[in-house]
Amino acid sequence: MQPLYRSGSWVVSLLLLAGCASTNVTNRKIDVRGKIARPDRILVYDFAASPADVPAEFRRPDESYQRSTPQTPQEIEAGRQLGAEVAKDLVAEIDAMGLPAVVASGQPGPRIGDILIRGDFLSIDEGSTAKRLVVGFGVGAAELKTRVEGYQMTAQGLRRLGSGEVDSGGSK
C-alpha cells in the first residue's frame, strides 16, 4: 500500500468540508503522526443528532456526549436527517478527492486498514429570521457546532487518528 498523507492534515481537511458562511475549527487533536496507508474504504457514519445516537464503539470515557439543554423529539429527528445529509455530502467531497468513500450504513463492518469518520452535533441553533431582517449585521445568524473524529481499523481495534470541533455560522 502507498502512504496516504499525514493523518493529522486529512482530519483537519475533513473538518473544513463542513463549511458554511463562516467556519472555525477548535479543539483540534492529532492522535497519530506520520503517514498512514491508503485505505481500501473510508466509511462515513451519519452524524449523531443526540448522545444516544453515538455508537458505543466510538464513546470515550474521557469525553462528554451530554448536552446542556434537553432536545425535543422534533429536534432529534431534524438532527438525524441533517446527520444523514452531512454524511452523504462528506462522501461526495471525499470521492471528489479521488479517495474511496462510502456511507457506512448498509456496508459490511470495518476491515483492517479502513478509515472511519464519525461526527455528532453538539449544538444546533437555527437563529432568528426576524432578528436578521430587523437588526441585521449578523444578529440572529444560525450556528452549528459539530465534533468530528477519524479512526483507523487495526488488528487491535479502532485507533483514533484525530478529532476536532467545527463551529459554523451563517445568515442563510
Side-chain angles (χ1 to χ4, degrees):
M1 291 186 172
Q2 300 174 343
L4 182 56
Y5 30 70
R6 294 203 173 277
S7 58
S9 63
W10 77 264
V11 171
V12 172
S13 297
L14 292 173
L15 293 171
L16 294 175
L17 292 175
C20 283
S22 64
T23 304
N24 183 35
V25 179
T26 60
N27 296 328
R28 183 177 19 180
K29 183 175 182 199
I30 299 170
D31 296 314
V32 175
R33 302 223 180 254
K35 295 182 178 186
I36 58 174
R38 182 180 179 93
D40 291 330
R41 291 186 307 171
I42 299 174
L43 298 168
V44 180
Y45 290 79
D46 289 356
F47 280 44
S50 71
D53 291 342
V54 176
E57 63 265 29
F58 293 118
R59 291 180 182 254
R60 293 173 52 108
D62 60 333
E63 292 182 336
S64 171
Y65 291 94
Q66 300 303 314
R67 292 178 178 266
S68 57
T69 58
Q71 295 173 279
T72 67
Q74 295 82 8
E75 289 171 332
I76 292 171
E77 182 54 33
R80 287 179 178 152
Q81 290 174 7
L82 179 61
E85 281 299 312
V86 168
K88 188 173 105 180
D89 290 348
L90 188 52
V91 164
E93 292 285 338
I94 295 169
D95 279 341
M97 289 188 261
L99 297 169
V102 294
V103 173
S105 60
Q107 292 290 317
R111 298 183 294 253
I112 293 175
D114 284 350
I115 300 294
L116 293 73
I117 299 172
R118 63 142 319 263
D120 55 294
F121 300 124
L122 301 175
S123 65
I124 301 172
D125 181 357
E126 296 176 25
S128 167
T129 303
K131 285 182 181 178
R132 285 193 298 272
L133 291 174
V134 175
V135 179
F137 305 110
V139 174
E143 295 179 5
L144 175 66
K145 185 170 188 166
T146 309
R147 176 184 10 230
V148 180
E149 299 174 314
Y151 295 85
Q152 181 181 39
M153 179 55 81
T154 69
Q156 292 75 37
L158 291 176
R159 172 175 73 155
R160 191 162 91 158
L161 300 174
S163 64
E165 292 178 7
V166 179
D167 296 317
S168 303
S171 58
K172 296 182 180 180

